[in-house]
Structure formats: structure tokens, C-alpha cells
């Protein structure tokens, strides 16, 4: 006769033993972890006067390694029984529990740890706390690293003096904008702007004054750009505006507005007028970045050649 047959033949004796044995728990819970039946050992472990029927099991027994109550089923595909450690809530008693899914919900068997087991478990708990602490520190370092990488990427794409995009980022962005414009057959224009007689500003008023002029002109560009536009410090005193879904005529209107605002800005506070010359080109079907910028540069050259402080469309 095997053990299963022995228990089956003596089910009443087995049930009495399981109900009164002081270190073992037997609990029947529904699918929502509400206690349907339990043995007296659970009542005694919880120091209750009667069985906690109808109570949520997670209010009485707490898993050690997770915040929300959830039973780990002990049956696995290899037939090995996997225990879960549960602790009496608001107490120190620990139980090695085995959980099985049955038609009514869950059947849980638990056996209380002996003192030697408790020492091992305390060591495990300490190690778990250490690992949790290290995990939190690692997560913070990963967040810090991600933020540092974001800042590095931003610095690589941004001109430090003006805060505008730099030439490198413009080249990355232009490829995307060009592909979209050609795919949707939409307009695209650029404005290439150059501050007039900028070297004289540096020579006469110092480089700090020159930097202030560059920063104020950059601010002027940003304030008058749409969200989809890109303002770029192209190099030295040269700036560029990338204008998706804009024709040459619309770009000319923007250029004239910017030129007029700069002319009356009195950036240095001494009444000195600062102006800019601008060249405009609109995307043609056969254009790439180099050919479009070349035509904008030719228009800028014409603006300078014909007296400066003006905008010319190629």
C-alpha cells in the first residue's frame, strides 16, 4: 500500500491530524484569495478566536519578495514542487508554503520554519535587501547615464554660444526633411543670412559685443520661426533657416521681417545699426543639399554685391 492509498483509506484520521498539527497550515482559498476553509493551526498562528473564513489571504500571510500578494503555484512542468515563503503579517512566523490550483481556487499547504531555517532565511532576506539596494543604485546610475548621454548628444548638435542647431545637426535633419518634401511633393526653402560688416563690430567694440550680436540675432531667429523650422548657426556670422513647406515667396516675407527687426534692434545700446544680407533658394526636384545651398549662397552673394542689408531670391 502506498502513501496515497493510505491517506485515501484513512481520510478522517488524516483530516483530524492536519486540522490540529501545530506547525502545518492547510488553507482552501477561492480564485480571489478569499479563505473558504482552513485548519486550526492557521487560527492559532494568527492568534484568532475563530477561523478567518472570508478574509483575504494577503491580509494574513505576506510574501517576502513582492509588494502585492500573489501565490506562486508549486506545480511545474518537471513535476518538482516549488515552495514560496510567506510570513504572518505583523508577526515573525515564517512558513514554507506549497500552492496548488484546484477547481475551487487554491489549496495551500504550509510548514513553519524551524529556528535554524529562520537564521538561513534572515541571511537570505539580508542579501535580498542588499540586492534591492544595489538594483536601485544601478537604476539611478542608468538614469544618470541616460541623462548624460542626452546632454552630450544635445551638445554635439548645438552651437554653445547661440543655442541654435549647429551645422552637423542641420545635415542630419536636412536629409529627413528633403526626403519628406520629395515624397509628398511639398515646398522647401532655405534662407542663408550673413551679418554685415561683422568683423568691424569685433574690431571696434570687442569680441564680447560681437558675441552679444550673434546671440541676439539667434534669439530673433528662434522667436520668428515655426515649430517645424530649424534655425542653424552655420559658421562664424553666418546663419541658416530651414523652412519645410515654404515657398521662396514665403521665405522672402520672413527674411524681410527678420531684416527689419534686426535693423531697429539697437543690440549694442549705442545707436549703431546692425544689418544682415540674406539669400533665399527654393527646392527644385533635382536638388540635393549641396545644390540647394549653393543657390542660396549665390543669392546671398548678390545681396552683398548690390548693397547689403537686403534679401535676394535665387
Amino acid at each position: 500500500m502506498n502513501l496515497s492509498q493510505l491517506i485515501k483509506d484513512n481520510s478522517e484520521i488524516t483530516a483530524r491530524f492536519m486540522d490540529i498539527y501545530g506547525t502545518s497550515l492547510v488553507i482552501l482559498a477561492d480564485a480571489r484569495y478569499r479563505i473558504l476553509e482552513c485548519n486550526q493551526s492557521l487560527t492559532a498562528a494568527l492568534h484568532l478566536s475563530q477561523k478567518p473564513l472570508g478574509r483575504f489571504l494577503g491580509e494574513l500571510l505576506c510574501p517576502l519578495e513582492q509588494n502585492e500578494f500573489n501565490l506562486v503555484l508549486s506545480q511545474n512542468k518537471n513535476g518538482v514542487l516549488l515552495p514560496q515563503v510567506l510570513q504572518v503579517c505583523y508577526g515573525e512566523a515564517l512558513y514554507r508554503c506549497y500552492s496548488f490550483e484546484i477547481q475551487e481556487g487554491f489549496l495551500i499547504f504550509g510548514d513553519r520554519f524551524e529556528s535554524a531555517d529562520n537564521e538561513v532565511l534572515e541571511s537570505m532576506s539580508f542579501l535580498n535587501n542588499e540586492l534591492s539596494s544595489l538594483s536601485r543604485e544601478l537604476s539611478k546610475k542608468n538614469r544618470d547615464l541616460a541623462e548624460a548621454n542626452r546632454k552630450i548628444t544635445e551638445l554635439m548638435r548645438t552651437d554653445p554660444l547661440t543655442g541654435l542647431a549647429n551645422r552637423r545637426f542641420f545635415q542630419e535633419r536636412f536629409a529627413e526633411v528633403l526626403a519628406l518634401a520629395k515624397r509628398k511633393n511639398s515646398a522647401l526653402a532655405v534662407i542663408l543670412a550673413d551679418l554685415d560688416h561683422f568683423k568691424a563690430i569685433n574690431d571696434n567694440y570687442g569680441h564680447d559685443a560681437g558675441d552679444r550680436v550673434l546671440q541676439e540675432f539667434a534669439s530673433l531667429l528662434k522667436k520668428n520661426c515655426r515649430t517645424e523650422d530649424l534655425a542653424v548657426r552655420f559658421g562664424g556670422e553666418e546663419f541658416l533657416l530651414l523652412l519645410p513647406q515654404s515657398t521662396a515667396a514665403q521665405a522672402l516675407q520672413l527674411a524681410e521681417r527678420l531684416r527689419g527687426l534686426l535693423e531697429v534692434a539697437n543690440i549694442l545700446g549705442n545707436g549703431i545699426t546692425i544689418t544682415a544680407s540674406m539669400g533665399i533658394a527654393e527646392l527644385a526636384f533635382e536638388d540635393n543639399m549641396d545644390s540647394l545651398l549653393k543657390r542660396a549662397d549665390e543669392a546671398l552673394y548678390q545681396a552683398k554685391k548690390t548693397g547689403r542689408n537686403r534679401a535676394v531670391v535665387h
Side-chain angles (χ1 to χ4, degrees), residues 27-289:
I27 304 167
L28 175 63
D30 65 16
R32 294 182 301 167
Y33 306 131
R34 302 286 172 180
I35 298 175
L36 301 177
E37 182 58 278
C38 66
N39 64 350
Q40 294 294 340
S41 296
L42 177 63
T43 307
L46 298 171
H47 304 289
L48 298 175
S49 58
Q50 57 185 6
K51 292 182 178 181
L53 304 183
R55 296 277 299 275
F56 174 56
L57 184 58
E59 296 176 357
L60 309 174
L61 296 176
C62 309
L64 291 183
E65 299 178 359
Q66 57 199 70
N67 295 325
E68 297 183 4
F69 182 82
N70 183 42
L71 285 176
V72 176
L73 295 180
S74 298
Q75 297 163 301
N76 70 5
K77 62 182 180 180
N78 298 320
V80 178
L81 295 183
L82 303 175
Q84 179 183 18
V85 177
L86 299 177
Q87 181 176 15
V88 173
C89 296
Y90 311 110
E92 297 181 356
L94 299 170
Y95 289 84
R96 182 190 292 106
C97 294
Y98 297 86
S99 305
F100 303 90
E101 193 170 16
I102 60 175
Q103 187 174 1
E104 293 86 350
F106 300 97
L107 184 60
I108 303 107
F109 297 96
D111 184 51
R112 183 166 178 169
F113 279 99
E114 299 298 333
S115 59
D117 291 326
N118 279 341
E119 291 175 6
V120 173
L121 197 67
E122 286 175 5
S123 298
M124 290 173 58
S125 178
F126 173 77
L127 290 175
N128 283 337
N129 289 337
E130 288 291 302
L131 288 173
S132 296
S133 178
L134 289 173
S135 178
R136 286 193 296 272
E137 290 180 15
L138 181 60
S139 296
K140 181 179 183 303
K141 289 184 182 297
N142 284 337
R143 289 194 300 270
D144 292 343
L145 180 60
E147 177 63 15
N149 285 334
R150 185 193 66 78
K151 289 181 178 179
I152 291 171
T153 301
E154 184 177 341
L155 289 172
M156 291 174 62
R157 294 177 168 183
T158 305
D159 172 59
L161 178 65
T162 63
L164 298 184
N166 59 20
R167 190 167 188 152
R168 174 177 178 170
F169 181 56
F170 162 74
Q171 292 172 335
E172 294 176 7
R173 177 74 179 276
F174 183 86
E176 301 172 3
V177 174
L178 176 65
L180 184 62
K182 289 193 172 184
R183 186 166 66 248
K184 294 192 173 184
N185 195 27
S186 58
L188 172 64
V190 294
I191 301 174
L192 195 58
D194 189 86
L195 292 169
D196 295 328
H197 306 296
F198 184 73
K199 183 177 183 302
I201 296 173
N202 279 331
D203 292 343
N204 295 329
Y205 304 103
H207 288 281
D208 287 345
D211 288 348
R212 190 156 71 251
V213 170
L214 294 173
Q215 290 169 334
E216 290 297 325
F217 186 55
S219 178
L220 188 67
L221 296 180
K222 284 190 285 190
K223 288 177 181 177
N224 287 274
C225 280
R226 304 167 301 176
T227 304
E228 62 268 29
D229 298 335
L230 181 68
V232 184
R233 186 182 180 193
F234 213 54
E237 66 271 21
E238 198 171 54
F239 295 80
L240 182 141
L241 289 177
L242 178 62
L243 308 171
Q245 300 180 357
S246 295
T247 63
Q250 291 169 324
L252 178 60
Q253 289 180 343
L254 175 59
E256 288 293 348
R257 182 165 74 250
L258 292 169
R259 189 185 59 78
L261 290 171
L262 176 63
E263 193 174 15
V264 299
N266 192 23
I267 294 174
L268 298 180
N270 56 7
I272 297 298
T273 299
I274 297 170
T275 62
S277 300
M278 305 186 190
I280 298 162
E282 183 177 346
L283 180 72
F285 181 78
E286 66 278 6
D287 268 330
N288 56 29
M289 182 180 71

Side-chain angles (χ1 to χ4, degrees), residues 282-298:
E282 183 177 346
L283 180 72
F285 181 78
E286 66 278 6
D287 268 330
N288 56 29
M289 182 180 71
D290 292 336
S291 61
L292 180 62
L293 293 181
K294 181 180 179 181
R295 291 193 290 110
D297 191 53
E298 290 170 353

